[in-house]
Amino acid sequence: MKLGKRIKHLYHRADYAAGKKIFGNTIGVSNNFKGSLKNAQGGSIIEDDDDARINELRTKQYLVLSDHYDKKLIDTIRTKYNELVENDETSYTSSVVDGTYYSSHISKPHKKIEELSELITDDIKDIVKGYYQGNFQIKHIAAWRNKYVPKEIEAKSELFSNHWHCDNRSTEFLKLFVPLIDLTDDDGPFHIMSQQRTKLVMKMGYGTRDDYNLDDKVINDPNEIKKITGKAGMAYFGNPQLCLHRAGVPTYGHWRDMIDFVFAPSSRPLPDNWFENFQPDDNYYKASNEK
């Protein structure tokens, strides 16, 4: 290994270890510090809000909203989504093994499904503004489908980030997920631990996403994991930098259809016409080296 690469490798190892010890997550000191400069997350004093949902989100770093959207809106989005998500001209594939893909993504969904703007309701805006205790912006919008993966391939490849991990980005980013189908155990639901539990797991000796270094009863304690299932029309927030989380893998004949939004703090209010002028920040995904 060349000297420059070796120094960089050693720096990342030290940053990773220090981040676990000081902040209780796996994203390193630098990402925690960058996020702390931009918002009040990651262990700072949390001011109570009149809305209990905001308090829950800021404390746990995740929040589930049941029956949030009108069924007609979800049906309209799903109809357009289904026409786009596996069309070669409007989508691209990922998680490819031996020529077979297990995930597909709509290219620039904001250009093709105008109803996506309606998912950012006044209620959603209030929650996000309360979370940041200030203004926010929308950095990215994605639309994707995860499909069934045969067991022999799942055993060899982590195709959907389905090992316990924290996203390697600044802590400022918050995500909103909107399922377009009913989510059951068979559909590969999202699993997440609270920030408090994540910090405890780090103290108990969590290693890496490839080797947890913990007993299965600890890392997969069902009493400490929120497995997000429910009817279409629900939504859920999560800060994937501050919380250990993982994707589920759909069983045979099942899949998971999702829209997700990425939020970040802003010095200015979100304009009423934000969707008309929306430009995704493609650097959001480039900023992470997660699998």
Side-chain angles (χ1 to χ4, degrees):
M1 184 183 294
K2 293 182 178 180
L3 180 60
K5 288 185 177 180
R6 181 170 177 77
I7 292 173
K8 185 176 182 180
H9 176 70
L10 291 173
Y11 166 78
H12 284 303
R13 284 186 61 183
D15 188 47
Y16 180 86
K20 286 200 294 182
K21 185 173 183 178
I22 298 170
F23 294 97
N25 56 51
T26 66
I27 65 174
V29 173
S30 55
N31 276 329
N32 278 284
F33 184 66
K34 283 188 293 185
S36 68
L37 292 177
K38 295 183 178 180
N39 63 24
Q41 308 314 311
S44 66
I45 296 173
I46 297 174
E47 298 179 7
D48 283 343
D49 192 279
D50 291 337
D51 190 331
R53 299 171 303 176
I54 294 171
N55 296 330
E56 181 177 352
L57 177 56
R58 288 177 60 83
T59 301
K60 292 183 177 180
Q61 296 297 332
Y62 70 79
L63 174 71
V64 180
L65 303 175
S66 301
D67 300 320
H68 184 75
Y69 297 111
D70 178 74
K71 183 178 183 299
K72 185 176 179 181
L73 172 61
I74 297 299
D75 287 345
T76 299
I77 293 173
R78 182 168 55 225
T79 296
K80 293 186 177 182
Y81 173 101
N82 285 334
E83 293 172 351
L84 299 165
V85 71
E86 296 196 56
N87 183 324
D88 291 343
E89 295 182 356
T90 57
S91 68
Y92 61 94
T93 61
S94 66
S95 303
V96 180
V97 178
D98 296 331
T100 299
Y101 70 89
Y102 297 98
S103 188
S104 54
H105 311 253
I106 297 174
S107 302
K108 298 181 179 180
H110 62 286
K111 295 286 189 181
K112 302 175 178 69
I113 308 176
E114 61 183 15
E115 289 83 3
L116 293 181
S117 64
E118 298 179 45
L119 297 175
I120 306 301
T121 62
D122 289 342
D123 209 24
I124 292 293
K125 292 177 184 177
D126 288 342
I127 292 172
V128 178
K129 189 172 182 179
Y131 175 80
Y132 288 121
Q133 296 185 354
N135 296 318
F136 68 92
Q137 59 186 306
I138 297 175
K139 302 286 284 185
H140 206 276
I141 303 174
W144 43 272
R145 169 176 289 170
N146 284 352
K147 304 171 75 172
Y148 161 71
V149 179
K151 291 295 183 183
E152 62 271 19
I153 293 176
E154 182 185 344
K156 297 178 182 178
S157 304
E158 186 193 356
L159 298 181
F160 300 150
S161 292
N162 47 295
H163 295 176
W164 288 108
H165 68 286
C166 298
D167 287 6
N168 190 22
R169 299 186 178 91
S170 170
T171 60
E172 71 197 80
F173 299 114
L174 176 70
K175 286 189 128 183
L176 171 70
F177 299 88
V178 182
L180 297 181
I181 60 172
D182 295 348
L183 289 180
T184 69
D185 287 349
D186 288 327
D187 303 306
F190 185 72
H191 297 61
I192 190 168
M193 301 181 198
S194 69
Q195 182 183 24
Q196 182 180 16
R197 176 63 179 179
T198 296
K199 289 182 176 181
L200 180 59
V201 169
M202 295 299 151
K203 289 181 179 179
M204 296 170 76
Y206 174 93
T208 69
R209 67 191 298 156
D210 296 318
D211 180 7
Y212 302 140
N213 193 41
L214 292 169
D215 189 279
D216 185 71
K217 292 180 180 179
V218 173
I219 195 71
N220 288 310
D221 184 346
N223 296 315
E224 300 292 348
I225 296 168
K226 179 65 175 180
K227 179 170 56 177
I228 301 179
T229 59
K231 296 290 186 181
M234 69 177 296
Y236 55 95
F237 289 97
N239 186 319
Q241 295 79 231
L242 296 175
C243 297
L244 281 168
H245 64 282
R246 69 175 184 87
V249 178
T251 60
Y252 182 76
H254 291 261
W255 59 89
R256 182 159 60 120
D257 290 346
M258 302 291 297
I259 306 293
D260 74 65
F261 298 83
V262 178
F263 304 104
S266 174
S267 60
R268 295 176 295 179
L270 186 73
D272 291 337
N273 64 341
W274 70 269
F275 194 73
E276 298 173 21
N277 304 307
F278 178 71
Q279 293 291 334
D281 183 358
D282 293 329
N283 288 324
Y284 169 76
Y285 283 104
K286 294 177 182 178
S288 172
N289 62 8
E290 68 165 317
K291 294 180 181 177

